[in-house]
Amino acid sequence: MKTKSFFTIFVGMAVASFVLAFMVLKFGWFTPGATAKGQFVDHEITLGLVELSDRPMWRLVFQPNQHDCDKKCEEQLYGLNQTYIALGKLQKRVDALVLNESLDFSQYPLLKRQQVTNTELDMDHIYLVDPYGKVIMQYAGSVLREDTIKTSKDILADLKKLLNYARVG
C-alpha cells in the first residue's frame, strides 16, 4: 500500500469518527451516564445551621411554611421521616432537619428542628446539604403518597452513594 493512500484512509477514518461522535451527541442517540435521582441546585445556597453534634453531619432539610402545614407539607414530613428511618446504620452520619420550631411535629420524633429560614429554599422540596452547609441537591414534593415514597427511595439511593464516597461527615 502506498503511503499516500494509507494517509488518505487514515484521515478519512479519523474524520468519520469525529462526525459520528458529533451526530451521537447532537441528536441524543445515547443514554447519559448520570445516576443522580435528584436535581442538582444550580446556584450556591449556604445555610447557617447550628451543629447538633460534635462531628460534621450531612443533612436532609425541609423548610415548611412558618404558620401552617398543608397536605403537601405533611407528605414531605412523612417522606423525610421515612427516609431517615430507612438509612439504618447510616443515621449516625446524617441529620434530618425541619427548619421550623413553631409547628407541632410530634408525630415525627426523629426529625430535628431548627429555627433557620432561607428565602432561597422552596417549601415544596427536600434538600440535601453537605457538612459545610452548602445545599447540593433538591427533591420535589408531592401530595400523592406513591410519589412521596418514590422520592424517598430516590433520596436514599443518592445519599447512600454519596456517603459511600464522602470523606467528611
Side-chain angles (χ1 to χ4, degrees):
M1 185 183 286
K2 294 184 180 182
T3 308
K4 188 174 183 180
S5 63
F6 175 76
F7 184 72
T8 305
I9 292 172
F10 178 76
V11 170
M13 297 287 281
V15 169
S17 298
F18 283 118
V19 169
L20 184 61
F22 176 76
M23 290 175 57
V24 165
L25 289 174
K26 182 75 174 169
F27 297 115
W29 297 337
F30 69 99
T31 304
T35 60
K37 311 266 192 239
Q39 179 182 8
F40 285 100
V41 176
D42 56 354
H43 59 284
E44 185 174 324
I45 303 173
T46 303
L47 301 179
L49 299 172
V50 177
E51 284 296 328
L52 300 174
S53 68
D54 56 344
R55 60 187 213 137
M57 303 282 279
W58 290 85
R59 295 179 185 97
L60 293 172
V61 174
F62 174 59
Q63 178 177 305
N65 189 338
Q66 295 298 319
H67 306 294
D68 63 338
C69 193
D70 59 356
K71 177 71 174 153
K72 195 171 207 178
C73 170
E74 286 292 332
E75 283 297 313
Q76 292 286 75
L77 289 171
Y78 172 79
L80 183 61
N81 189 60
Q82 294 303 100
T83 303
Y84 187 70
I85 291 170
L87 281 171
K89 67 180 182 177
L90 294 175
Q91 287 179 357
K92 62 185 175 198
R93 297 178 65 189
V94 179
D95 279 334
L97 290 177
V98 177
L99 301 183
N100 185 323
E101 290 182 336
S102 60
L103 295 176
D104 178 33
F105 302 126
S106 58
Q107 53 189 329
Y108 306 110
L110 296 176
L111 302 181
K112 297 174 181 162
R113 295 164 186 82
Q114 283 192 19
Q115 190 60 44
V116 176
T117 55
N118 190 316
T119 57
E120 295 180 82
L121 295 182
D122 187 8
M123 294 180 192
D124 294 336
H125 289 81
I126 292 176
Y127 294 92
L128 178 59
V129 181
D130 74 0
Y132 303 108
K134 303 270 191 237
V135 178
I136 299 173
M137 297 185 84
Q138 65 184 5
Y139 301 87
S142 174
V143 179
L144 301 174
R145 181 60 53 102
E146 296 82 24
D147 293 341
T148 302
I149 292 170
K150 182 188 178 310
T151 301
S152 292
K153 288 179 181 178
D154 291 347
I155 294 171
L156 195 60
D158 285 346
L159 195 54
K160 282 184 176 180
K161 261 189 262 177
L162 183 77
L163 290 174
N164 191 30
Y165 295 108
R167 298 202 183 267
V168 179

